[in-house]
Amino acid sequence: MELMTRKDVPQELTWDLTALYKTEADFQSDIDKVKALTDKIEGEYKGKLTTPENLLGCLDLYREWQQTLWFAANYKNLAASVDYNDPELQEEDGAMSRLCAGLSSRLSFIDSEITAQPDSVLEAAIAVGGPNTGYLKELLRWKPHQLEPQTEKVLAALSPALGTPYNVYNMAKLADMRFPTFNAAGEEHPLGYSLFEDKYEYDPCTEVRREAFRRFSQKLREYQNVTAAAYQSQVQKEKTMAALRGFGSVFDYLLFDQHVTREMYDRQIDLIMGKLAPHMRRYARLIQKVHGLDKMTYADLKLPVDPSFSPKLTIEDSKNYIEKGLSILGEDYVQMVRDAYSERWVDFAQNQGKSTGGFCASPYGGHSFILFSWHGGMSDVFTLAHELGHAGHFKACNAAQSIFDTNVSTYFVEAPSTMNELIMAHYLLSTSEDKRFRRWVLSNMVGNTYYHNFVTHLLEAAYQREVYRIVDAGGSVQAETLSAIMKDTLQKFWGDAVELTEGAELTWMRQPHYYMGLYSYTYSAGLTVATAACKRIQTEGQPAVEDWKRVLRAGSTGTPLELAKMAGVDISTDGPLLDTIETIGGMIDEICAISDQL
């Protein structure tokens, strides 16, 4: 069956954006409000941010401005994200983006004037405490990299144009790229981005799976040059911004905002590439063995160990699993899960033009919205638990912190989401002593949770690092270069255990993370913290749970090192990462042993 158009999707499978605004008139009321706030802030404070009192008074209004504007921006962006084929939704989102840029440009004087003051003025305002403290501390940290006021104003005004590479990527991928049907195993099959990534990669029929990969790769190849041009524009923009702001390298620039050192970044990539690869090669050989494959190809890597043991689940089934699985986090957390279903926080639909993958948007002052496509497997349950981890995180920190203190470092932000996947897996393991069931749960952890975050995203990060090294040295990247880097990265990790099917090198075209700075590596970083913190919960119980909930409430009031320490994890050393790799290896050992017994 072909994917439905958005208008044909049953309402119960879609999210309810009226939770943001009941009517367009309500939305317009907030737009009027934020325009008035812009006038008020500009009129009362421009040229006057020279005293601690004025700094704090201005930031009080600026917090309200940010909450109102980003709430409205989410409303239009979320509507556009489920249907890139709808030109009206895309125009409305574009208009909102241009409005945000214009208003942000007018208020760019706030940061410029504050950072122009002597440190003593900022320190006096910080000493007062309160909801503006974190913002002022961050401005003090960024002060050496602040540009001239007029330059900052221009950059703010240009933000929609600076976001063009990502928009081009999405339009090529989600609007222009149309996949033909293909024939395999005596049947005709529909093909699409979501269908391939969520269905065919896991299809137990070798002919269908490999033919889907071949046809999917053929279509990607047709768009490789425009996608490469978009990515080249992105990385050159980031290199230019790094130079403008006085950073020694693009890495320093992108890591500065994450409160992460280059050592922490490199460690995450180098240790996994070197020490996890042997374990995953063994896992690949197991997949080949249990499926009786003639050879292990790149198109076969997502196969489950025991596909016949993977039940089809309903959305209601997922609710029951997640409620029970996450109950260790407390009744308030479980109630959030119930609300997510009953109040339609989640967009489950499969439709043409919808964003691929999954994400959770959490506008300050409202509840979260989760996008992904439901296919009815246990992997969907883990994905939803993951995104609800983001929802629970921001529900906690948004309630406890100023909007200025909810900008959690991307190095840490995937810890609460991956923690939920681990908690779910441990819950499932506790429900049965059947060996086949245990192997199924463990293989879900290795083949989904750890594979997704420690392999898929980690290989993206290793590839991305090579791209930035070229750019940092003054070079450029085209489609041929990007494919060569990706192929080399995959070969280094998989060795002779996996044959790199033609099209594997085009994997660089499939992820949006490359347009979000150094994001890909943070999935493994977050899961490293989550693995260690989850072990504490398993052994210590409620005290460890309470520590974790305290971390969720902390928002961005701590650095990644500090937040991890609150959870009882020391990520200043190699220890937690090496322990996580050993944990994965132990799971693979057990899966292999059970497979031999069965």
Side-chain angles (χ1 to χ4, degrees), residues 463-598:
Y463 149 86
Q464 190 182 37
R465 183 170 63 174
E466 295 309 308
V467 172
Y468 280 121
R469 282 173 173 167
I470 291 172
V471 170
D472 235 7
S476 63
V477 289
Q478 290 75 40
E480 186 176 321
T481 307
L482 297 174
S483 290
I485 294 171
M486 179 56 77
K487 185 175 182 179
D488 183 60
T489 302
L490 295 173
Q491 284 178 330
K492 284 179 179 175
F493 189 83
W494 291 113
D496 60 3
V498 176
E499 179 182 302
L500 296 184
T501 320
E502 185 177 354
E505 75 281 0
L506 299 175
T507 303
W508 63 268
M509 295 178 63
R510 292 170 54 182
Q511 292 293 349
H513 301 111
Y514 308 135
Y515 299 85
M516 303 170 188
L518 296 175
Y519 190 11
S520 295
Y521 88 101
T522 67
Y523 283 89
S524 63
L527 184 51
T528 300
V529 175
T531 299
C534 188
K535 284 187 175 182
R536 275 198 67 211
I537 289 175
Q538 297 302 313
T539 57
E540 299 176 31
Q542 200 58 36
V545 171
E546 292 306 316
D547 282 347
W548 186 247
K549 291 168 82 169
R550 187 161 59 94
V551 171
L552 299 184
R553 291 192 296 271
S556 58
T557 58
T559 66
L561 278 168
E562 291 165 344
L563 292 173
K565 188 175 181 180
M566 288 170 62
V569 183
D570 181 8
I571 57 172
S572 67
T573 72
D574 295 355
L577 180 53
L578 291 173
D579 183 63
T580 300
I581 293 171
E582 185 179 333
T583 297
I584 299 169
M587 289 181 186
I588 293 172
D589 288 342
E590 186 172 356
I591 293 168
C592 290
I594 295 174
S595 296
D596 288 340
Q597 293 168 19
L598 294 175

Side-chain angles (χ1 to χ4, degrees), residues 27-37:
F27 164 76
Q28 190 57 51
S29 177
D30 257 6
I31 295 301
D32 294 340
K33 175 184 175 181
V34 82
K35 288 178 178 178
L37 274 170

Side-chain angles (χ1 to χ4, degrees), residues 51-284:
T51 66
E53 294 75 19
N54 279 4
L55 264 62
L56 295 171
C58 178
L59 291 179
D60 285 341
L61 289 175
Y62 193 41
R63 290 200 323 276
E64 183 181 3
W65 179 90
Q66 279 201 4
Q67 178 175 343
T68 308
L69 185 62
W70 304 134
F71 206 82
N74 268 277
Y75 180 60
K76 291 301 180 183
N77 185 252
L78 291 172
S81 69
V82 293
D83 193 358
Y84 275 83
N85 292 333
D86 188 322
E88 184 176 345
L89 291 176
Q90 299 308 314
E91 170 52 33
E92 289 177 2
D93 185 39
M96 188 68 221
S97 179
R98 293 189 293 275
L99 176 65
C100 289
L103 298 180
S104 297
S105 180
R106 286 176 59 188
L107 296 190
S108 64
F109 76 88
I110 295 174
D111 289 359
S112 294
E113 287 191 25
I114 292 176
T115 52
Q117 305 311 309
D119 288 359
S120 58
V121 175
L122 276 73
E123 289 163 355
I126 289 169
V128 174
N132 301 318
T133 303
Y135 191 85
L136 288 165
K137 285 182 177 178
E138 193 65 6
L139 279 183
L140 196 57
R141 201 171 74 94
W142 270 99
K143 190 175 180 180
H145 305 288
Q146 190 76 8
L147 303 177
E148 292 296 318
Q150 192 58 33
T151 305
E152 294 287 357
K153 184 175 182 178
V154 170
L155 287 175
L158 285 173
S159 60
L162 295 175
T164 296
Y166 186 42
N167 291 334
V168 170
Y169 168 78
N170 273 328
M171 280 299 177
K173 174 180 175 179
L174 301 173
D176 287 348
M177 205 176 289
R178 302 298 175 89
F179 294 84
T181 59
F182 68 96
N183 290 300
E187 293 182 29
E188 187 174 26
H189 304 270
L191 184 60
Y193 233 104
S194 179
L195 277 173
F196 174 74
E197 294 189 336
D198 297 328
K199 180 178 183 293
Y200 293 123
E201 280 197 296
Y202 304 91
D203 198 300
C205 177
T206 299
E207 184 182 344
V208 170
R209 184 178 63 258
R210 291 179 179 174
E211 182 63 10
F213 182 88
R214 188 176 76 84
R215 294 301 186 92
F216 181 76
S217 298
Q218 282 180 348
K219 181 57 65 172
L220 288 186
R221 197 175 301 281
E222 293 175 16
Y223 288 82
Q224 63 179 327
N225 291 314
V226 68
T227 307
Y231 186 39
Q232 160 79 347
S233 298
Q234 174 71 19
V235 295
Q236 295 297 342
K237 174 191 74 176
E238 289 166 336
K239 173 62 176 173
T240 300
M241 292 300 298
L244 283 174
R245 294 198 178 278
F247 287 93
S249 77
V250 69
F251 292 102
D252 294 338
Y253 166 62
L254 295 172
L255 292 171
F256 188 82
D257 196 42
Q258 295 181 5
H259 293 260
V260 168
T261 65
R262 180 70 184 271
E263 180 188 8
M264 292 168 69
Y265 165 74
D266 284 330
R267 174 202 296 149
Q268 205 67 29
I269 297 172
D270 293 336
L271 285 182
I272 295 176
M273 285 292 290
K275 295 188 178 296
L276 180 63
H279 296 300
M280 294 310 300
R281 291 172 190 173
R282 191 153 42 89
Y283 186 71

Side-chain angles (χ1 to χ4, degrees), residues 432-450:
S432 174
E433 295 183 1
D434 178 77
K435 286 186 176 180
R436 191 178 180 193
F437 180 83
R438 183 172 180 84
R439 181 180 70 166
W440 175 66
V441 176
L442 289 172
S443 62
N444 264 290
M445 292 176 76
V446 173
N448 290 304
T449 299
Y450 283 105

Side-chain angles (χ1 to χ4, degrees), residues 328-475:
I328 193 172
L329 295 176
E331 178 57 30
D332 56 338
Y333 204 99
V334 172
Q335 186 57 51
M336 180 203 71
V337 172
R338 295 189 188 112
D339 291 343
Y341 284 87
S342 64
E343 297 174 6
R344 289 172 48 212
W345 297 12
V346 186
D347 199 275
F348 293 98
Q350 297 182 50
N351 63 262
Q352 296 175 22
K354 181 178 177 178
S355 292
T356 60
F359 67 73
C360 177
S362 302
Y364 192 88
H367 66 62
S368 293
F369 292 87
I370 293 168
L371 177 145
F372 86 118
S373 298
W374 175 262
H375 291 83
M378 183 55 77
S379 61
D380 291 336
V381 179
F382 277 85
T383 298
L384 188 50
H386 176 108
E387 298 303 340
L388 284 166
H390 289 305
H393 184 192
F394 286 98
K395 180 178 187 290
C397 75
N398 287 359
Q401 306 295 341
S402 151
I403 191 173
F404 289 157
D405 292 324
T406 60
N407 186 28
V408 181
S409 167
T410 51
Y411 186 94
F412 188 85
V413 80
E414 295 297 340
S417 53
T418 52
M419 168 67 99
N420 275 15
E421 294 188 59
L422 299 181
I423 291 174
M424 283 294 303
H426 284 290
Y427 161 73
L428 290 171
L429 288 172
S430 72
T431 63
S432 174
E433 295 183 1
D434 178 77
K435 286 186 176 180
R436 191 178 180 193
F437 180 83
R438 183 172 180 84
R439 181 180 70 166
W440 175 66
V441 176
L442 289 172
S443 62
N444 264 290
M445 292 176 76
V446 173
N448 290 304
T449 299
Y450 283 105
Y451 191 102
H452 187 67
N453 298 287
F454 261 72
V455 180
T456 299
H457 291 320
L458 193 281
L459 291 176
E460 293 169 11
Y463 149 86
Q464 190 182 37
R465 183 170 63 174
E466 295 309 308
V467 172
Y468 280 121
R469 282 173 173 167
I470 291 172
V471 170
D472 235 7

